[in-house]
Amino acid sequence: MRPVILIGYMGSGKTTVGKCLAERKKIEFLDTDAMIEEQEGKTISDIFDQMGEESFRDMETALIQRLVEEQRSDVVLSVGGGLPVRKENRVLLKKLGTVIYLMASKETIIERVSGSENRPLLRDGSLDEKVEHMLKLRSPLYEEAADIRIDTNGKTADELADEITAVKVSAGVKK
Ligand code: S3P
């Protein structure tokens, strides 16, 4: 099976849904944030603080590039919310697998990310304004990167895993 890649804004449920999907299909689950944290031996917040956002973005690109080169299969991959912002990364994601955009409303996102401490981009200022601004900026890029879009509002991880499986089959994405 080609890799299933979950993209979407912070709090769209990529990690929770991804784990659930991988468990059901009995395949590996990978998460770019977790892989980068392990590689650097630092939290995402520390990487942003000590090395800057641009270095983090370079690490994301290098990681996706490596996964493409390795021709990975049978894996569910959740990617950081900002990864599809670079054009280069959107091209790499398409090469890597089937890209699924988990859409969530501003209200759902705010509810899910409130209290999160390892999201440096949401640390200061008004959460409402930041989420609104980033959603406006990023939604068209997520749309461009995606093969399949799924509305996550009001749905559980189990329901979403079911929906992804059903939609993939009806879209003819079987490999
Ligand atoms: C980011 C999203 C985060 C993480 C970093 C930056 C973003 O991942 O990569 O804090 O720019 O949206 P999640 O989407 O998994 O929270």
Side-chain angles (χ1 to χ4, degrees):
M1 190 185 84
R2 287 189 87 208
V4 174
I5 303 155
L6 302 178
I7 64 166
Y9 196 72
M10 289 176 256
S12 57
K14 292 164 292 184
T15 305
T16 320
V17 175
K19 279 185 182 161
C20 183
L21 194 62
E23 211 166 276
R24 284 187 186 196
K25 294 195 174 288
K26 306 214 179 333
I27 58 177
E28 191 181 5
F29 171 74
L30 296 175
D31 177 303
T32 57
D33 285 344
M35 290 170 90
I36 291 173
E37 284 187 327
E38 196 184 326
Q39 169 193 304
E40 297 301 311
K42 292 180 179 25
T43 63
I44 299 292
S45 290
D46 285 344
I47 296 172
F48 269 67
D49 290 345
Q50 296 166 17
M51 306 164 91
E53 180 173 350
E54 213 42 35
S55 301
F56 174 72
R57 299 301 173 195
D58 290 341
M59 291 173 201
E60 289 186 316
T61 302
L63 173 54
I64 293 292
Q65 178 83 56
R66 178 163 63 78
L67 294 176
V68 170
E69 278 161 16
E70 288 172 0
Q71 300 189 328
R72 298 296 288 253
S73 62
D74 292 330
V75 63
V76 177
L77 175 71
S78 159
V79 309
L83 188 145
V85 172
R86 280 192 183 175
K87 169 86 188 162
E88 183 186 2
N89 293 354
R90 296 200 290 281
V91 172
L92 287 168
L93 290 179
K94 289 247 191 229
K95 273 193 200 159
L96 183 61
T98 305
V99 183
I100 300 183
Y101 169 24
L102 297 184
M103 294 185 294
S105 67
K106 185 177 85 175
E107 291 70 26
T108 300
I109 288 168
I110 289 177
E111 200 182 297
R112 292 192 191 142
V113 300
S114 291
S116 151
E117 281 169 10
N118 196 23
R119 287 187 164 118
L121 293 182
L122 300 178
R123 250 181 329 215
D124 315 302
S126 154
L127 189 56
D128 193 280
E129 279 171 24
K130 274 193 184 158
V131 173
E132 183 162 340
H133 177 70
M134 279 198 192
L135 270 181
K136 245 185 222 144
L137 223 70
R138 290 181 176 183
S139 299
L141 306 177
Y142 293 148
E143 291 283 349
E144 186 193 310
D147 297 305
I148 292 169
R149 291 150 201 82
I150 306 262
D151 181 359
T152 69
N153 294 298
K155 295 176 191 159
T156 64
D158 266 325
E159 287 167 345
L160 288 165
D162 280 342
E163 197 172 327
I164 290 170
T165 308
V167 170
K168 267 187 76 203
V169 170
S170 71
V173 187
K174 289 185 191 125
K175 277 199 297 157

